[in-house]
Amino acid sequence: DAKTTQPPSMDCAEGRAANLPCNHSTISGNEYVYWYRQIHSQGPQYIIHGLKNNETNEMASLIITEDRKSSTLILPHATLRDTAVYYCIVRVSKNQAGTALIFGKGTTLSVSS
Amino acid sequence: EADIYQTPRYLVIGTGKKITLECSQTMGHDKMYWYQQDPGMELHLIHYSYGVNSTEKGDLSSESTVSRIRTEHFPLTLESARPSHTSQYLCASSAGTGRGYTFGSGTRLTVV
């Protein structure tokens, strides 16, 4: 099972910042936090990831608490096209050869005008 | 422009038929993955591969099998399709630790 907890749904007004929280209290020191989103059952789209520092790219910002037990994805100016299911994922080590992402239920973000 | 391709996009097939879902990527990624997703539900990892001739089963038990003979191809096969196999199958690839996954558009399978 995914080791993250997210609210099942959130609403946001168009043009406002959307702040999506995620708890990952059992995260270990070498595990990254990844954020993906999925629109209309299309293939998930990578948004951003981080280890312990805050990260920003052209899509979003990722704020990770100092103890790394939680994080927040920020969409600075939400648009209607940002309506999607957002997944917060902690990479799970499968074996020495590498890791695999384990998805949870995610947060359904609804952006309205 | 997609760098990972899945075919077919939609497939309706009768019970008992053998099917192969294709997944190809042009990015030279060593790591590839198959996920299964029922409508409105989360993705479940069913198979993954870390390179040629390497395949592992994922967290969700699946009657499907996979092969990895070439880096760019990671086909998934169902020897005898059943209605319980009706689902969406998503393929992904990754360059490795610390990198994101690139997903294909998925194959929506319906077994009647």
Side-chain angles (χ1 to χ4, degrees):
Chain A
D1 292 333
K3 299 189 291 185
T4 62
T5 303
Q6 299 177 254
S9 63
M10 292 183 65
D11 295 318
C12 181
E14 190 176 22
R16 297 282 192 167
N19 298 296
L20 291 87
C22 179
N23 288 322
H24 31 79
S25 57
T26 60
I27 193 171
S28 61
N30 60 350
E31 289 181 319
Y32 287 83
V33 179
Y34 282 77
W35 283 85
Y36 284 75
R37 72 180 183 184
Q38 188 175 27
I39 300 172
H40 295 309
S41 295
Q42 297 174 15
Q45 177 190 22
Y46 166 80
I47 300 173
I48 200 168
H49 76 281
L51 186 61
K52 48 186 173 181
N53 296 324
N54 296 338
E55 303 287 345
T56 296
N57 62 20
E58 65 278 4
M59 290 183 68
S61 295
L62 174 61
I63 308 298
I64 302 175
T65 58
E66 192 170 342
D67 62 8
R68 304 211 325 122
K69 293 184 184 298
S70 66
S71 61
T72 301
L73 178 75
I74 301 173
L75 307 179
H77 304 287
T79 70
L80 299 178
R81 288 180 292 181
D82 291 323
T83 293
V85 179
Y86 287 78
Y87 298 99
C88 168
I89 305 158
V90 173
R91 293 192 83 127
V92 177
S93 177
K94 301 302 290 185
N95 58 42
Q96 291 182 349
T99 61
L101 294 181
I102 304 300
F103 286 76
K105 297 183 187 301
T107 295
T108 298
L109 176 67
S110 298
V111 181
S112 57
S113 57
Chain B
E1 185 177 339
D3 295 312
I4 183 164
Y5 305 93
Q6 289 188 245
T7 57
R9 183 71 179 92
Y10 300 94
L11 179 63
V12 180
I13 200 163
T15 298
K17 299 291 186 183
K18 177 180 179 179
I19 58 170
T20 296
L21 309 184
E22 299 289 345
C23 176
S24 298
Q25 50 96 5
T26 58
M27 298 170 282
H29 288 170
D30 285 330
K31 305 183 191 314
M32 297 189 73
Y33 310 84
W34 277 102
Y35 289 84
Q36 183 177 344
Q37 183 179 36
D38 293 333
M41 305 296 286
E42 63 261 47
L43 287 80
H44 292 286
L45 179 69
I46 53 175
H47 298 284
Y48 56 102
S49 167
Y50 296 139
V52 172
N53 295 324
S54 150
T55 61
E56 301 280 349
K57 288 190 178 295
D59 293 338
L60 180 67
S61 177
S62 174
E63 294 170 340
S64 59
T65 59
V66 293
S67 62
R68 190 86 184 278
I69 299 173
R70 289 189 287 166
T71 299
E72 61 269 27
H73 289 155
F74 191 40
L76 180 146
T77 298
L78 279 165
E79 290 292 334
S80 179
R82 297 207 302 263
S84 61
H85 296 140
T86 294
S87 189
Q88 177 166 238
Y89 294 83
L90 289 154
C91 180
S93 71
S94 170
T97 301
R99 306 289 186 91
Y101 286 17
T102 301
F103 278 84
S105 298
T107 293
R108 197 174 294 277
L109 172 67
T110 302
V111 184
V112 298

